[in-house]
């Protein structure tokens, strides 16, 4: 029997609703207090914003953004089992503004031409995808776009990025990045 994980949405119209996700050793839902901090940084109300959750996993960040009024949230997940959990949560919440995409994150970011106001970037910690992904993101961001990045250690950023806000919770480093317009 597979255990399921669960995470509570902490704000917006689905506040206190619980979403379930399949047990998987690589899934690490962003903890409540980190999500609360990040959405405080983003301003709580995401009405009208377009968001991209590149490694959707449990769906915690993407569904939180949708709950807080984002017009569109594209959630990308390559694991079919995890994607089924996201589909169940999408249906349970009637999250019509959420678009689920079954695709590898690098392939998606190379093919998709839309621009986003907020991009959530939380790849599996054991991967080495962060540098590749960060190179692709500027062309996918609106002028005022932000990237939320979560990792298990500090990531070396090139001069095109500015760390706007950052924090650490246990072994998780999290940062809100924006493009360096002077770089």
């Amino acid at each position: 029997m597979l255990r399921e994980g669960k995470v509570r949405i902490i704000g917006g119209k689905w506040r206190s609703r619980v979403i379930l996700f399949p047990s998987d050793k690589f899934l690490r839902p962003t903890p409540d207090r980190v999500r609360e901090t990040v959405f405080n940084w983003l301003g709580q109300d995401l009405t009208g914003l377009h968001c991209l959750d590149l490694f959707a996993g449990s769906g915690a960040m993407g569904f939180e953004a949708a709950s807080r009024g984002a017009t569109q949230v594209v959630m990308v997940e390559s694991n079919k089992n995890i994607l089924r959990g996201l589909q169940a949560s999408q249906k349970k919440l009637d999250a019509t503004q959420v678009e689920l995409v079954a695709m590898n994150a690098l392939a998606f970011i190379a093919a998709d031409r839309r621009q986003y106001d907020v991009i959530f970037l939380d790849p599996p910690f054991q991967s080495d995808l962060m540098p590749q992904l960060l190179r692709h993101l500027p062309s996918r961001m609106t002028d005022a776009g932000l990237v939320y990045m979560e990792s298990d250690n500090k990531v070396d950023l090139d001069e095109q990025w500015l760390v706007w806000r950052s924090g650490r919770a246990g072994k998780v480093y999290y940062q809100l990045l924006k493009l360096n317009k002077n770089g």
Side-chain angles (χ1 to χ4, degrees), residues 21 28 42 45 47 65 71 90 93 99 101 103 106 117 120 128 130 149 168 172 183:
F21 57 91
R28 300 167 289 90
L42 293 173
D45 182 3
T47 299
T71 297
Q90 179 188 34
L93 297 170
E99 175 188 342
V101 178
M103 195 173 198
L106 276 173
D117 301 294
F120 299 104
D128 59 354
M130 203 65 85
M149 183 174 72
R168 182 176 173 196
V172 176

Side-chain angles (χ1 to χ4, degrees), residues 94-169:
D94 191 27
T96 56
Q97 71 276 54
V98 171
E99 175 188 342
L100 297 175
V101 178
M103 195 173 198
N104 168 283
L106 276 173
F108 176 84
I109 205 68
D112 185 64
R113 295 291 169 235
R114 293 175 280 189
Q115 289 193 315
Y116 300 93
D117 301 294
V118 181
I119 298 174
F120 299 104
L121 186 57
D122 182 10
F125 282 176
Q126 72 283 2
S127 79
D128 59 354
L129 296 173
M130 203 65 85
Q132 291 172 274
L133 290 163
L134 287 170
R135 277 194 301 273
H136 287 284
L137 295 186
S139 63
R140 303 298 175 262
M141 296 168 62
T142 60
D143 287 341
L146 297 168
V147 173
Y148 168 74
M149 183 174 72
E150 196 171 302
S151 59
D152 62 346
N153 54 42
K154 289 196 175 194
V155 175
D156 290 327
L157 300 169
D158 64 30
E159 64 281 346
Q160 73 179 336
W161 296 104
L162 288 174
V163 177
W164 185 45
R165 302 272 173 94
S166 64
R168 182 176 173 196

Side-chain angles (χ1 to χ4, degrees), residues 8-9 12 31 38 40 49 53-54 58 73 79-80 86 91-92 98 100 102 121 125 134 138 160 175 177:
R8 181 180 55 87
I9 296 174
V38 170
N40 281 337
L49 298 185
D53 190 352
L54 256 184
S58 69
V73 180
N79 181 303
K80 302 283 190 237
L86 292 169
K91 184 176 180 179
K92 173 183 174 180
V98 171
L100 297 175
L121 186 57
F125 282 176
L134 287 170
Q160 73 179 336
Q175 301 178 86
L177 310 176

